[in-house]
Amino acid sequence: MDKIKIKKIYEEKINLLSKYNLFYYDKSKPKVSDQQYDSLKNEILLLEKKYKFLKSKNSPAEAVGHKPSKNFKKFQHRASMLSLSNAFSEEDLKNFEKRILNFLSENKEFKIIYSAEPKIDGISASLTYKNGIFERGLSRGDGKEGEDITANLYTIKDIPKKILDKDFPKDIDIRGEVFIQNSDFESLKEKFANPRNAASGSLRQKNSEDTKKIPLKFIAYTYGFEQGLRQKNQSDYLKKLDEWGFKTNPLNKTISGVKNLIQNYNDIEQQRANLDFDIDGIVYKINNFELQKRLGNVANAPRWAIAHKFSSDKAISKILDIDIQIGRTGALTPVAKIKPINIGGVLVSNATLHNEDEIKRKDIRIGDIVTVERAGDVIPHILSVDLNKRPKKSAKFIFPDKCPSCGSKTEKEFNKITKKFDAVRRCSSEGFKCEKISIEKIKHFISKEALNIDGLGKRVIEKFWNLKLLKKPQDIFKLDFNFIKNLEGWGELSVKNLKNSIEKSRNTSLQRFIYSIGIRHIGIENAKLISDNVKNISTFIEIVKKKKFEKFINIDGIGETQINSLKTFFSEQSNLGILIELEDILNIQSASLIKNGILKNKTFMFTGKLDGISRAEAKSLIENNSGTTVSNISKNLDYLVIGEKPTKRKLEQAKVLKIEIISKNDLLKLLNKIN
């Protein structure tokens, strides 16, 4: 690879890191997980190590944090606030210790004592005290220059405002972490993604009276500039901090030997679930201050300290309860309510248990200490149970044989092909007799692939249900907008937008309508097959009334499973009633009317986010003009429509197969929607 290409790749990574820093430090809204952020940092550092000509002032080897916000006055730190190198394994720690011994010219027998301090996931702050008086508080900023957030820090009760002890240094910057306890975060979780975001957002408010209302805490752990500090090591300094009135981490320890560091690391990780604050690793510091000075710093990190990070996709927690959730098709899904734990920067309080068989196989019980995994965008789930920590009076979890919502019998279907019972247990109720199923069916009815009603999100549906505004899909078209206008969070504009969105949804295709009803095994593709066969809603209703579902057996793609599902769904008379009532309310376009559109026999696939138009709307435009949308690339694909951040793999496949790649505007030109 030539220098120009290498430099381009490097600069792209630097720009991406700068963007992540902006959202993490300045806007308090992280864009990626800690694991992804650390991975990008390491990629940049490895490139710099391999290619010496690469250099940037925004490199993680040079910069710390992010440029201070313009909202606050800026001050230079009297001693830079450095970042820390990361360790992820025992091997990393061995190499860290080896580098220290080499730098100090000591042999393996030289005993290094570490101060091991669990790293609280909060916001760093530096507090300046002169003659015992708290004078100024700065944020980390870019490590060299911070924001003056004194007024906000002054509201934190944990921060002493005046220290009278005679041995307190004449001039010193006390450094630590501002955070919010998990128990206090409960009242804030509707506004913030996790406690760290809440702490960051609260500290950076312009009005300190607003900050005062937030239960912020402060734990001290180091110092910056100092004049008159008498302590000779970190552990003695931490003890003194306690005496001076500062809070310190109760889990701090002095340890010698990498094996003992690992043992302590494992012990602390086991305790994470029981802590009332988030920790994302353990910081190891050479305990002796004299050795720290000898070792000094490398670029923007000290040689004498390292952060041993916990796994960013796994954590240990406790199962507080097991809740049974009921889906649109009646499937009973067990969900573990766990003690909230931070995994990769996300506060996790629920973990799926998948189904009854999974609970039995892993013998999962309420009160168990478990390992929870959250990898990428995968829903958090329970990996394993620590049987050694199971309470003696623990009882096996008994899966309900009756629906927790409506009391109907729950059952597992027998699969004739596999000759086994299905893993999923389902409520036997059909239609809208089961409250939980009904709510989920209405959510499905308004979803993007169905009627696509903006403004009616999942939470709105639940709220309207509780207010008895909704009980069946047709109730959406009978909403009392005057009543809604007076509800909290609603007003003239939001009600007007909702009303317009509902009116717009009255015009829909037969395919979308069949899909929107929410019949099990009738997804968007099967709904299209059926709509193409019956042509219009009248024929579909006639087949349903006479129960002549065998008519569909000759449709390629529709089998016995789908037909049995249709029979079961419409065996409930109320479902037919809903179908007939919706026919009167909606303008359901016949499939035959859109058979000869300008996109006839053309296939399309999307990748990336489209600007100014939802993917659901774009699909609808294509289908309403006789085109077809697909989810996989093949040589039969005509167009790949790309938006913002398209998938590289799909682009490469399309180029290899010589498929035409077009933009949203190109698509609209095909449809004659723009000049």
Side-chain angles (χ1 to χ4, degrees):
M1 195 182 297
D2 61 36
K3 276 191 174 184
I4 295 174
K5 284 185 179 179
I6 294 166
K7 194 171 182 181
K8 186 180 178 184
I9 292 169
Y10 174 75
E11 287 173 350
E12 285 175 354
K13 291 182 185 294
I14 288 288
N15 291 336
L16 190 58
L17 187 74
S18 297
K19 180 182 175 183
Y20 291 164
N21 281 336
L22 172 67
F23 280 93
Y24 187 86
Y25 292 103
D26 195 37
K27 298 188 177 181
S28 303
K29 292 181 179 178
K31 278 285 185 184
V32 293
S33 69
D34 291 352
Q35 183 185 29
Q36 290 169 294
Y37 181 83
D38 288 340
S39 177
L40 179 61
K41 275 178 62 176
N42 287 336
E43 286 171 17
I44 292 170
L45 293 172
L46 285 171
L47 279 172
E48 290 174 346
K49 189 175 180 180
K50 188 174 180 180
Y51 304 105
K52 301 299 181 184
F53 61 87
L54 296 176
K55 195 172 183 181
S56 169
K57 65 178 182 179
N58 294 321
S59 163
E62 301 292 333
V64 177
H66 189 261
K67 189 178 178 181
S69 168
K70 294 177 182 177
N71 294 330
F72 296 90
K73 199 172 181 180
K74 293 171 281 188
F75 281 92
Q76 289 281 333
H77 289 295
R78 297 191 292 176
S80 295
M81 292 187 77
L82 304 175
S83 64
L84 291 168
S85 300
N86 291 328
F88 298 96
S89 65
E90 184 174 350
E91 192 62 32
D92 289 342
L93 294 182
K94 286 178 179 177
N95 289 332
F96 171 65
E97 187 165 285
K98 187 177 178 181
R99 288 195 299 271
I100 289 170
L101 293 172
N102 287 341
F103 189 91
L104 297 173
S105 296
E106 298 288 354
N107 58 40
K108 291 181 181 179
E109 307 307 316
F110 184 80
K111 188 177 181 180
I112 297 176
I113 297 173
Y114 298 96
S115 176
E117 305 166 21
K119 183 177 175 290
I120 291 180
D121 191 17
I123 305 300
S124 300
S126 183
L127 318 175
T128 296
Y129 287 83
K130 291 186 178 180
N131 298 314
I133 307 297
F134 172 41
E135 286 198 349
R136 179 177 293 128
L138 302 180
S139 69
R140 177 194 290 276
D142 63 4
K144 295 177 181 177
E145 188 178 59
E147 302 153 348
D148 185 347
I149 52 173
T150 308
N152 290 341
L153 289 168
Y154 210 85
T155 67
I156 301 174
K157 293 177 182 177
D158 289 348
I159 295 177
K161 311 306 182 290
K162 189 174 184 181
I163 301 170
L164 301 175
D165 297 57
K166 291 180 180 179
D167 61 349
F168 189 72
K170 183 179 179 181
D171 191 359
I172 190 170
D173 293 337
I174 303 286
R175 291 177 175 174
E177 206 80 1
V178 177
F179 66 101
I180 292 177
Q181 292 182 160
N182 292 331
S183 54
D184 291 329
F185 179 68
E186 282 299 305
S187 60
L188 303 169
K189 63 183 180 183
E190 295 298 321
K191 297 179 181 178
F192 300 98
N194 55 52
R196 188 201 175 278
N197 285 14
S200 177
S202 303
L203 265 187
R204 307 178 86 255
Q205 294 185 104
K206 291 182 180 179
N207 188 346
S208 61
E209 286 300 312
D210 292 330
T211 304
K212 193 175 182 179
K213 299 171 187 175
I214 308 298
L216 296 171
K217 307 287 183 185
F218 180 80
I219 275 186
Y221 53 70
T222 192
Y223 63 90
F225 174 87
E226 62 83 15
Q227 197 174 66
L229 185 67
R230 300 175 187 176
Q231 285 64 50
K232 303 298 182 186
N233 57 58
Q234 176 71 5
S235 55
D236 287 344
Y237 170 69
L238 291 173
K239 287 175 186 175
K240 269 296 170 187
L241 283 171
D242 278 327
E243 292 176 20
W244 293 332
F246 292 94
K247 300 280 177 62
T248 57
N249 198 318
L251 299 172
N252 292 339
K253 282 185 180 179
T254 50
I255 299 171
S256 182
V258 171
K259 291 291 181 185
N260 293 325
L261 291 179
I262 292 295
Q263 180 60 54
N264 180 63
Y265 173 89
N266 292 333
D267 291 343
I268 297 290
E269 191 169 30
Q270 291 286 328
Q271 294 179 55
R272 281 179 79 192
N274 298 317
L275 300 177
D276 198 19
F277 49 85
D278 287 335
I279 56 174
D280 57 7
I282 302 176
V283 176
Y284 306 128
K285 303 172 185 175
I286 300 294
N287 195 45
N288 185 286
F289 285 160
E290 190 58 41
L291 288 181
Q292 287 185 14
K293 287 176 184 176
R294 281 180 61 192
L295 287 161
N297 308 323
V298 51
N300 67 343
R303 284 193 183 90
W304 45 266
I306 196 166
H308 190 184
K309 291 292 195 80
F310 291 128
S311 169
S312 60
D313 57 6
K314 294 175 189 172
I316 294 165
S317 188
K318 181 180 181 179
I319 296 181
L320 305 175
D321 199 3
I322 295 177
D323 184 35
I324 302 295
Q325 296 183 354
I326 303 160
R328 168 177 63 89
T329 62
L332 272 62
T333 303
V335 175
K337 300 291 181 180
I338 63 173
K339 186 166 184 181
I341 190 79
N342 195 325
I343 308 179
V346 176
L347 196 68
V348 175
S349 56
N350 295 323
T352 182
L353 298 174
H354 300 292
N355 52 55
E356 182 180 8
D357 291 354
E358 179 81 351
I359 290 178
K360 287 180 178 177
R361 184 173 68 81
K362 292 181 178 176
D363 189 20
I364 296 169
R365 307 180 186 186
I366 295 171
D368 278 346
I369 301 298
V370 295
T371 299
V372 185
E373 181 177 51
R374 178 187 176 272
D377 294 326
V378 178
I379 298 170
H381 60 280
I382 304 297
L383 270 184
S384 59
V385 176
D386 188 342
L387 297 176
N388 294 323
K389 294 187 177 179
R390 173 170 283 169
K392 290 182 180 179
K393 294 183 179 180
S394 172
K396 285 194 174 186
F397 181 78
I398 306 300
F399 214 83
D401 56 6
K402 288 189 177 179
C403 175
S405 174
C406 66
S408 298
K409 183 182 177 183
T410 62
E411 49 195 26
K412 290 184 175 183
E413 291 182 359
F414 184 75
N415 190 313
K416 293 180 181 178
I417 298 172
T418 63
K419 306 297 180 186
K420 293 179 180 179
F421 281 98
D422 204 352
V424 177
R425 187 176 285 276
R426 297 177 189 276
C427 170
S428 58
S429 172
E430 286 290 344
F432 288 76
K433 289 182 179 178
C434 178
E435 178 180 323
K436 294 297 183 185
I437 291 178
S438 300
I439 294 171
E440 295 306 315
K441 280 186 180 294
I442 295 173
K443 289 178 185 176
H444 174 78
F445 184 77
I446 58 95
S447 64
K448 289 189 181 296
E449 298 285 0
L451 262 66
N452 190 24
I453 303 178
D454 285 334
L456 268 183
K458 293 180 179 181
R459 288 187 179 179
V460 175
I461 292 292
E462 289 170 1
K463 185 175 182 178
F464 284 4
W465 178 278
N466 293 331
L467 291 169
K468 297 184 169 36
L469 295 175
L470 290 177
K471 289 299 172 185
K472 293 179 180 178
Q474 58 265 41
D475 294 337
I476 290 170
F477 304 94
K478 306 171 188 175
L479 286 170
D480 184 344
F481 294 108
N482 287 325
F483 177 80
I484 295 170
K485 185 169 59 180
N486 294 313
L487 295 174
E488 186 181 349
W490 290 85
E492 291 278 359
L493 183 60
S494 54
V495 166
K496 182 183 176 182
N497 290 339
L498 175 60
K499 190 175 182 179
N500 290 340
S501 185
I502 290 172
E503 286 304 309
K504 184 181 176 183
S505 75
R506 287 180 187 268
N507 296 307
T508 191
S509 67
L510 179 59
Q511 172 190 342
R512 279 176 171 265
F513 175 67
I514 293 172
Y515 172 72
S516 74
I517 300 166
I519 307 166
R520 191 179 169 209
H521 298 305
I522 306 297
I524 194 71
E525 294 300 325
N526 285 334
K528 186 177 190 310
L529 293 173
I530 292 171
S531 68
D532 287 346
N533 182 270
V534 299
K535 308 296 185 190
N536 56 66
I537 185 61
S538 300
T539 304
F540 183 69
I541 290 176
E542 189 67 20
I543 290 168
V544 170
K545 281 181 177 178
K546 295 180 178 179
K547 295 183 171 47
K548 291 189 175 181
F549 300 107
E550 287 75 15
K551 173 180 169 56
F552 300 143
I553 199 73
N554 293 322
I555 301 175
D556 185 25
I558 301 294
E560 189 179 345
T561 299
Q562 287 76 25
I563 288 171
N564 286 338
S565 190
L566 285 160
K567 284 179 180 178
T568 303
F569 184 81
F570 287 111
S571 65
E572 176 58 53
Q573 195 63 26
S574 64
N575 286 340
L576 176 58
I578 290 169
L579 188 71
I580 293 169
E581 191 171 341
L582 285 171
E583 182 198 12
D584 289 337
I585 294 170
L586 303 174
N587 175 27
I588 304 169
Q589 191 175 9
S590 299
S592 56
L593 296 178
I594 57 172
K595 266 303 194 180
N596 295 305
I598 57 176
L599 300 182
K600 185 179 179 181
N601 299 325
K602 298 295 182 184
T603 57
F604 297 79
M605 182 179 171
F606 297 95
T607 179
K609 184 180 179 182
L610 301 179
D611 179 35
I613 185 173
S614 70
R615 187 171 291 190
E617 187 178 351
K619 283 184 178 181
S620 179
L621 286 171
I622 289 169
E623 290 163 2
N624 287 339
N625 286 276
S626 306
T628 305
T629 58
V630 297
S631 55
N632 291 303
I633 290 183
S634 71
K635 63 181 180 180
N636 297 320
L637 179 66
D638 293 302
Y639 299 101
L640 178 67
V641 186
I642 63 167
E644 185 183 345
K645 295 181 181 178
T647 304
K648 289 182 181 179
R649 177 179 54 81
K650 291 176 181 176
L651 279 173
E652 289 168 0
Q653 283 181 299
K655 288 174 183 176
V656 169
L657 295 172
K658 296 183 178 178
I659 292 162
E660 190 170 349
I661 298 170
I662 64 173
S663 66
K664 177 205 75 173
N665 286 342
D666 294 328
L667 172 62
L668 294 178
K669 283 178 184 177
L670 287 174
L671 293 163
N672 296 319
K673 294 286 181 182
I674 60 174
N675 294 325

